Amino acid sequence: MEAKVLGAEERLSSIEYDIFVSLRKEIAVECARIQKAAESIATLDVFISLGRVAAEYQYCRPILTDNGDLVIKDGRHPVVERMNSSEQFIPNDTEIVKKESQILLITGPNMAGKSTYLRQNALIAIMAQIGSFVPASFAQIGIVDKFFTRVGASDRLARGQSTFLVEMIEVANILNNTTDNSFILLDEVGRGTSTFDGISIAWAVAEYLHETPGKRGRTLFATHYHELAEMSLLYSRIKNLHIKVKEWNDRIMFLRKIENGSCDHSYGIQVARLAGVPRKVILRAREILANLENMELTPDHKPILARHHESNQKDQTDLFNGIQLNAMDSAHAELVHQLQHLDVNGLTPLDALNLLADLKIKALSLGN
């Protein structure tokens, strides 16, 4: 009896294992059928899920073409619009016509939605090519052979690779492997190095994609380098877009709407204020920015970054890019006031010439 009791647990384990082996053999015989059933269920689950969200969230049926264009009306990000319940998602249009607007240069402040706009267009194209309806009111997608992204900032410390090196490796991969039918997302290329180097690299990358046969993929290029906006004047298939913001009471409101043209302000200081940077730092940053914008230089022609202004009063700027009205004499103020209230559309050609001559005389007198 003692032997039976002591060996019961061992026999129990043996019996359990025998049952397990027997069951495993039976399942193995039906393995192919089980895997096929699982694959069918998974496929059905995907189609049901895509169909459900398409019906619930007003997706449209995309039109796939081979002309290389990409036209999206009221496009939305399928994830962001569902995750952010605090504000309504603002839809945006995208129109890349390869013979007219192959590269879209997008400017706007941080937090305005540039990266979301880039990603949503790529996701819409991917969803269209897997057979899904897409989050838009209309979508015509030219078939994409490769998707490339240079988005975000990261380093690879274990490999001894800095953030900028990683960025350049990714850019090199894009430039070496893209085709005319590719879709490219470039977000802040060149930001990991000095301003002049960054502008030079970003310009050269956009120029390469525009000018090199076989590499002219559809491109969305988000940047803070406003100098790149001039490329639209030099290259026929580069178009400027910006994300609209509204300034009010020294604050900015993000309207999230894509519009034609470039943005000439980054609003970095306002964004820093929104993030909770101490007021003293914000005020000092404004002083330094004013010094830079007004080209206040030392005798050896370097910006006077250390100079403190007597007042932190908000600078009022006119169309001459940052001249401070509170530092002007009455003659300056009068001239600026005249320009600001000038009705250009109401002038005849003769009136315009006479007015221009008068303004020139006043400006020359101010310079003396």
Side-chain angles (χ1 to χ4, degrees), residues 46-62:
V46 169
F47 289 148
I48 291 175
S49 299
L50 292 176
R52 179 178 177 181
V53 296
E56 287 187 10
Y57 305 129
Q58 292 78 52
Y59 286 12
C60 76
R61 179 181 178 181

Side-chain angles (χ1 to χ4, degrees), residues 173-189:
N173 176 60
I174 293 172
L175 299 182
N176 290 327
N177 295 289
T178 188
T179 72
D180 286 346
N181 294 318
S182 298
F183 193 15
I184 304 168
L185 306 184
L186 298 173
D187 192 4
E188 307 294 353
V189 167

Side-chain angles (χ1 to χ4, degrees), residues 58-69:
Q58 292 78 52
Y59 286 12
C60 76
R61 179 181 178 181
I63 302 170
L64 296 178
T65 70
D66 58 1
N67 62 8
D69 296 341

Side-chain angles (χ1 to χ4, degrees), residues 68 98 145 178-183 209 212-218:
K98 293 194 67 175
D145 61 355
T178 188
T179 72
D180 286 346
N181 294 318
S182 298
F183 193 15
L209 293 172
T212 308
K215 303 287 186 179
R216 296 169 178 166
R218 289 155 286 183

Side-chain angles (χ1 to χ4, degrees), residues 96-322:
I96 301 179
V97 179
K98 293 194 67 175
K99 294 182 179 180
E100 301 175 7
S101 53
Q102 170 210 342
I103 300 175
L104 301 183
L105 280 175
I106 306 155
T107 52
N110 290 312
M111 295 174 57
K114 297 190 300 297
S115 296
T116 299
Y117 178 71
L118 264 62
R119 289 175 169 91
Q120 76 183 38
N121 284 289
L123 287 173
I124 288 173
I126 291 172
M127 292 174 70
Q129 292 193 190
I130 66 172
S132 171
F133 280 44
V134 299
S137 62
F138 173 84
Q140 178 179 308
I141 311 294
I143 297 296
V144 179
D145 61 355
K146 301 175 184 178
F147 290 86
F148 293 100
T149 63
R150 160 80 285 280
V151 178
S154 62
D155 52 31
R156 299 171 185 167
L157 297 180
R159 300 183 185 179
Q161 297 177 350
S162 67
T163 299
F164 180 65
L165 178 58
V166 171
E167 177 184 341
M168 290 300 99
I169 290 173
E170 293 176 353
V171 169
N173 176 60
I174 293 172
L175 299 182
N176 290 327
N177 295 289
T178 188
T179 72
D180 286 346
N181 294 318
S182 298
F183 193 15
I184 304 168
L185 306 184
L186 298 173
D187 192 4
E188 307 294 353
V189 167
R191 66 179 170 183
T193 186
S194 68
T195 300
F196 286 163
D197 283 353
I199 292 173
S200 302
I201 292 170
W203 184 297
V205 167
E207 185 179 84
Y208 180 86
L209 293 172
H210 186 279
E211 295 293 287
T212 308
K215 303 287 186 179
R216 296 169 178 166
R218 289 155 286 183
T219 304
L220 297 179
F221 197 135
T223 182
H224 280 297
Y225 296 137
H226 302 130
E227 293 82 357
L228 298 187
E230 297 181 12
M231 297 189 74
S232 65
L233 303 176
L234 304 174
Y235 301 100
S236 61
R237 299 188 310 281
I238 294 181
K239 180 180 179 181
N240 288 319
L241 300 176
H242 71 278
I243 299 186
K244 188 176 181 181
V245 299
K246 183 177 181 180
E247 293 185 79
W248 177 77
N249 197 23
D250 198 29
R251 297 175 182 269
I252 56 173
M253 299 174 61
F254 301 112
L255 303 182
R256 314 292 188 191
K257 198 66 179 175
I258 291 286
E259 294 187 341
N260 291 325
S262 63
C263 175
D264 56 359
H265 294 289
S266 292
Y267 301 100
I269 295 177
Q270 288 90 333
V271 173
R273 178 181 177 180
L274 287 174
V277 173
R279 184 172 182 272
K280 184 176 181 180
V281 175
I282 297 298
L283 295 177
R284 180 64 179 132
R286 285 177 178 161
E287 288 183 339
I288 296 172
L289 178 62
N291 292 341
L292 291 171
E293 289 183 337
N294 293 332
M295 297 298 291
E296 296 183 4
L297 306 176
T298 62
D300 56 349
H301 303 290
K302 294 182 179 179
I304 307 178
L305 300 183
R307 175 179 175 181
H308 286 271
H309 293 277
E310 295 181 359
S311 171
N312 287 325
Q313 180 179 356
K314 181 180 181 293
D315 294 336
Q316 297 179 348
T317 58
D318 67 2
L319 54 82
F320 289 116
N321 190 23

